[in-house]
Amino acid sequence: MPIYADLEHAARWRELRTTPDDWSAADPAMLEQMLVSSHLIRAFEEKVLELAGQGLVHGPAHSAIGQEGGAVGSAALMRSSDHINGSHRAHHQFLAKAIRHVAPAGLSHAEPFSADMQHLAQKTLAEILGLAQGFCKGRGGSMHLRWLESGNLGTNAIVGGGVPLAAGAAWAHRRAGTGDTAFTYFGDGAVNIGSVLETMNLAAAWKLPLCFFIENNRYAVSTHVEESTAETRLSARGLGFGIPAWKVDGMDPLAVALATQEALDVMRNGGGPTIIEADVYRYFHQNGPLPGSAFGYRDKAEEAEWRTRDPLDRLALEMQQRQLIGSDAVAALRARAKELMDAVAAELVEQVDGKRRIRPALWPLEDFRDFGIRGDLSELAGVRTAELENFSGAIREDAKFIETVARVMQQRMAGDERIVVMGEDVHRLKGGTNGATQGLSAAFPGRVLGTPISENAFTGLAGGMAMDGRYVPVVEFMYPDFMWVAADQVFNQIGKARHMFGGDSKMPLVLRTKVAMGTGYGSQHSMDPAGIFATSPGWRIVAPSTPFDYVGLMNSALRCEDPVLVIEHVDLYNSTGPAPVDDLDYFIPLGKAKVVRQGAAMTVLTYLNMVRPVLEKVEELGLDAEVIDLRSLDRAGIDWETIEASIAKTGNVLVVEQGPIGTSYGGMLATEIQNRCFDWLDQPVQRVHGAEASPSISKVLEAAACARPADIERGLRRIMAEQGRPLA
């Protein structure tokens, strides 16, 4: 017979229920705060549904009527400097946190609502209606609400997508030593999503002051929680990660508040993350003013039973039993909250010919459409720029590329304590798998973070750090193909955040990665990410081809307040080239290409590791070709002034890249050139690129999949033949 031993969980998991004594002992001011906040939120949500029913809400209206208890119970104990974020159903959480910020001393049920409170309600409703005066200038609508001053990091339309971002704010709080915390709200649907579970693991490993607040309303649209998971007590997820967890009745705001207080005690005292699961119920369907029963996935009896547990009624009843408020006062509070929302809506909506409509003057102007996709780079104004040809410092001609990568990061981290490096194995192996972070871990303890293998979590965490604004994260993807694992955080979150939240939210983040074609790592470790990132709004992309350029472009990337992808290549790591001996403080402007060889017969556009073989082939063939190192690859960074001046002179263009045609960068660039420079072209834009297949493990097949010097030669010969001057 085997011997068994029962194992104990590392963390405590408890259900908390209130007693009459708890209600009697509760701070009356806190109960009043929760009651008033709940009525404000209820009236707000009813107004949203009313307007949605009249066709005035463009897009979804995910109301949280019935779920107010979880929001007000947790927000009642927060500081303004604590951070929260939420998912698509987050009006109540946003408002609860913002109300707490606007009225930190509490709210009285007997006093009129302040002008600040009306302003908050109006600005929030305006955002949901898509109007210019909204918190995100109408861009975010119902699902994207951000007011950083109040601690609202930004709500999120991707289920579970905001959870890693909240971990970034929690990391910033822990590093700053303020005792502040972060709360990330999500529902039963998000509990089973990888980014949530990855973040639980990372937060526990790093002891981040982050509360995973689960609003279990039992339905993901129409799918019942019992259809989605075998363990329907969702706070049980914490046991697998050593996270203490509380399960409470979310229709009981005091139970939520008591659990929140215990969770805050853990987090503010260095105990790491917590989980609170609040059982709540949304009275209406996933979206809009109809109940769920209208769609057949639940019945009216179930809805009626949950309404008997209404959190607003529970608060009022308990307060009345303790003579803290009377029924008339509750009715008056309800009426004032509705009057406030009527007044707010009247500022935004008008009646014309018997129909309500949005006041036309309140819509954003159409020319605001692209504002804030990226910043204006004003943060780089006044920096000292240099090119190799005009550099006044000492130059070493045989500097190793990979050593220069580590040197410039060492210089920047020494001068800027905000910079934090993270990625898999960056803290070990003498600087990661290639040496790019050599010496950093010893020099900057606590700022070089070796991460679990969980790109979704640590990339999102870095995005949250950047949104918080106190730190500049530098993320390393060991291979660019791993971006697909973290695609939501890379493209939906980090890339879109500035624009989505109104255009003014900075996102200072650098993502480093290396192209590994030629190393035998196969089709899942060998891609060139430039073509994919160039299609994603928000990202800037640089691809340095020399050690000197790497220093200047990395300095610009670290100063930039947009996310910047820095593409490196294994072919360049062990190569040598010119680099400064000791002056590592110059900048190369983002969006500035470099003519590395003058010529008049054709323009060759290339980047990264293909610059050197192009130059070698041009010299070998004796061509009068102009070669341009693009350096900046994003749409906003393409140096059209330099490119167009060259094409106007040569009339012929060859775009050279190494990678496969499917995700190529050159296709986009060739199309743009064809559209912009058609009248100057003597022939269609020609291209050199890899095959359709990704590189394989086989040395022969890998070489065949990538563009090689022979392919460059064929491209150059093709250009000359089309001019009627074929090469011998």
Side-chain angles (χ1 to χ4, degrees):
M1 282 288 290
I3 298 173
Y4 296 95
D6 290 333
L7 301 178
E8 296 294 327
H9 295 294
R12 178 178 285 183
W13 179 35
R14 292 190 292 183
E15 183 173 9
L16 184 154
R17 300 175 185 173
T18 59
T19 66
D21 288 344
D22 293 321
W23 282 94
S24 297
D27 180 3
M30 184 182 74
L31 297 178
E32 188 171 26
Q33 163 85 17
M34 292 194 295
L35 180 69
V36 177
S37 296
S38 296
H39 276 279
L40 281 168
I41 293 167
R42 177 69 59 89
F44 181 93
E45 292 285 65
E46 288 172 340
K47 183 58 68 175
V48 169
L49 291 185
E50 175 190 317
L51 297 174
Q54 295 167 351
L56 297 177
V57 177
H58 183 65
H62 299 115
S63 86
I65 294 176
Q67 298 186 195
E68 298 91 347
V72 300
S74 53
L77 298 163
M78 291 186 200
R79 308 167 180 170
S80 285
S81 51
D82 291 321
H83 282 127
I84 75 163
N85 72 0
S87 194
H88 57 286
R89 188 182 318 284
H91 304 164
H92 56 320
Q93 297 146 5
F94 178 88
L95 286 169
K97 184 68 166 71
I99 289 168
R100 180 79 175 136
H101 172 72
V102 169
L107 292 168
S108 169
H109 70 272
E111 294 179 3
F113 296 119
S114 67
D116 286 343
M117 200 63 67
Q118 178 161 346
H119 180 70
L120 167 62
Q122 183 167 326
K123 201 166 183 178
T124 308
L125 185 60
E127 183 58 45
I128 291 168
L129 295 175
L131 307 182
Q133 63 180 267
F135 277 103
C136 302
K137 302 179 175 65
R139 288 241 182 91
S142 175
M143 297 185 289
H144 306 290
L145 296 164
R146 173 175 163 91
W147 185 23
L148 188 59
E149 181 185 340
S150 70
N152 276 289
L153 280 170
T155 59
N156 210 287
I158 302 298
V159 174
V163 174
L165 299 170
W171 187 93
H173 290 322
R174 194 199 68 178
R175 177 72 182 177
T178 59
D180 292 330
T181 67
F183 279 64
T184 183
Y185 294 90
F186 54 93
D188 47 285
V191 163
N192 304 311
I193 285 178
S195 59
V196 173
L197 301 174
E198 284 186 30
T199 306
M200 286 182 178
N201 177 67
L202 187 59
W206 290 2
K207 287 200 171 297
L208 303 182
L210 174 61
C211 179
F212 298 88
F213 196 103
I214 306 168
E215 284 192 325
N216 184 358
N217 69 18
R218 307 184 67 76
Y219 292 94
V221 187
S222 66
T223 302
H224 196 278
V225 65
E226 291 173 353
E227 299 175 87
S228 301
T229 182
E231 176 53 273
T232 58
R233 300 167 301 173
L234 305 181
S235 45
R237 301 297 192 273
L239 299 178
F241 302 105
I243 302 175
W246 290 258
K247 180 175 173 60
V248 299
D249 178 4
M251 311 301 272
D252 177 350
L254 181 59
V256 176
L258 293 177
T260 299
Q261 183 60 67
E262 293 182 12
L264 285 170
D265 289 343
V266 171
M267 295 186 291
R268 296 203 198 281
N269 291 291
T274 58
I275 293 175
I276 297 175
E277 177 190 2
D279 290 322
V280 295
Y281 198 77
R282 56 172 166 83
Y283 293 170
F284 293 89
H285 180 52
Q286 165 78 355
N287 168 34
L290 296 176
S293 56
F295 297 86
Y297 59 86
R298 63 192 194 196
D299 57 40
K300 293 181 179 180
E302 176 186 309
E303 292 172 341
E305 192 278 329
W306 277 92
R307 280 185 178 268
T308 66
R309 299 167 56 189
D310 188 282
L312 278 68
D313 293 343
R314 177 70 184 275
L315 271 167
L317 178 63
E318 297 286 357
M319 291 178 69
Q320 288 175 60
Q321 289 176 349
R322 287 155 184 82
Q323 299 183 343
L324 299 175
I325 196 170
S327 58
D328 290 345
V330 173
L333 171 61
R334 166 80 168 150
R336 279 202 310 280
K338 292 171 67 70
E339 288 167 5
L340 173 71
M341 289 313 304
D342 287 341
V344 164
E347 295 293 320
L348 307 176
V349 175
E350 63 183 6
Q351 193 94 2
V352 176
D353 297 330
K355 286 189 65 177
R356 299 178 87 186
R357 69 172 189 181
I358 302 294
R359 295 181 183 273
L362 302 182
W363 292 111
L365 299 175
E366 287 192 1
D367 61 9
F368 183 65
R369 180 194 64 193
D370 291 341
F371 171 80
I373 291 176
R374 301 170 189 84
D376 60 6
L377 296 180
S378 57
E379 62 271 24
L380 288 161
V383 300
R384 175 170 62 92
T385 62
E387 295 286 355
L388 179 62
E389 292 74 17
N390 62 19
F391 186 68
S392 59
I395 289 290
R396 176 184 171 185
E397 294 293 340
D398 62 347
K400 201 169 182 180
F401 196 105
I402 191 63
E403 292 175 356
T404 305
V405 172
R407 285 181 64 215
V408 68
M409 191 58 67
Q410 177 105 15
Q411 180 83 349
R412 294 283 69 80
M413 292 184 75
D416 188 347
E417 292 187 354
R418 299 176 305 150
I419 297 174
V420 178
V421 173
M422 69 180 70
E424 293 156 12
D425 297 307
V426 296
H427 61 320
R428 299 235 170 90
L429 305 178
K430 297 183 179 180
T433 53
N434 293 97
T437 54
Q438 186 170 11
L440 300 184
S441 183
F444 309 106
R447 293 169 56 200
V448 180
L449 311 176
T451 66
I453 301 174
S454 53
E455 280 80 6
N456 224 338
F458 71 73
T459 304
L461 182 144
M465 289 169 59
M467 291 176 71
D468 170 88
R470 286 175 285 181
Y471 297 94
V472 178
V474 179
V475 178
E476 178 182 303
F477 279 179
M478 194 179 291
Y479 294 93
D481 310 65
F482 299 171
M483 74 178 188
W484 298 118
V485 180
D488 176 49
Q489 299 302 319
V490 170
F491 301 119
N492 260 333
Q493 311 298 342
I494 293 167
K496 293 178 180 177
R498 181 192 277 264
H499 183 265
M500 184 169 68
F501 291 123
D504 298 321
S505 300
K506 300 171 184 177
M507 181 57 80
L509 179 149
V510 173
L511 172 58
R512 292 181 44 253
T513 193
K514 64 174 185 284
V515 178
M517 292 183 213
T519 63
Y521 269 74
S523 63
Q524 295 177 332
H525 285 67
S526 303
M527 75 176 295
D528 176 353
I532 299 297
F533 274 81
T535 67
S536 175
W539 280 91
R540 296 186 185 273
I541 311 167
V542 296
S545 64
T546 70
F548 184 91
D549 284 2
Y550 189 94
V551 173
L553 289 170
M554 176 55 80
N555 285 338
S556 292
L558 288 168
R559 180 70 67 93
C560 182
E561 293 173 350
D562 296 320
V564 183
L565 172 68
V566 179
I567 307 177
E568 301 160 12
H569 201 294
V570 291
D571 285 356
L572 297 175
Y573 278 166
N574 291 319
S575 70
T576 59
V581 173
D582 49 21
D583 178 4
L584 299 170
D585 298 329
Y586 61 92
F587 293 74
I588 290 176
L590 301 178
K592 184 63 179 173
K594 183 175 183 178
V595 178
V596 294
R597 187 184 190 279
Q598 298 280 347
M602 71 176 78
T603 298
V604 184
L605 303 174
T606 189
Y607 61 94
L608 204 63
N609 65 312
M610 298 303 277
V611 174
R612 186 173 294 183
V614 165
L615 288 171
E616 290 171 351
K617 273 299 171 186
V618 166
E619 293 295 337
E620 179 186 319
L621 296 173
L623 298 178
D624 184 21
E626 185 147 291
V627 180
I628 297 177
D629 182 353
L630 293 167
R631 299 198 297 196
S632 285
L633 305 180
D634 55 276
R635 287 185 180 274
I638 298 174
D639 184 357
W640 288 112
E641 182 179 356
T642 297
I643 293 171
E644 290 176 348
S646 180
I647 295 173
K649 176 174 59 173
T650 67
N652 301 280
V653 182
L654 179 66
V655 179
V656 178
E657 60 187 319
Q658 184 185 26
I661 188 172
T663 57
S664 73
Y665 176 77
M668 180 274 285
L669 183 62
T671 300
E672 289 291 321
I673 292 170
Q674 203 83 13
N675 292 337
R676 296 174 69 111
C677 306
F678 183 81
D679 291 341
W680 295 334
L681 294 173
D682 296 332
Q683 59 179 298
V685 176
Q686 302 289 341
R687 294 179 57 199
V688 172
H689 50 72
E692 181 179 2
S694 299
S696 303
I697 295 292
S698 165
K699 190 173 184 178
V700 172
L701 296 178
E702 179 181 44
C706 304
R708 294 173 282 187
D711 299 303
I712 297 172
E713 180 173 338
R714 280 192 288 271
L716 295 169
R717 288 181 177 276
R718 192 163 62 244
I719 289 278
M720 297 306 294
E722 288 290 334
Q723 294 183 54
R725 296 186 289 167
L727 299 176

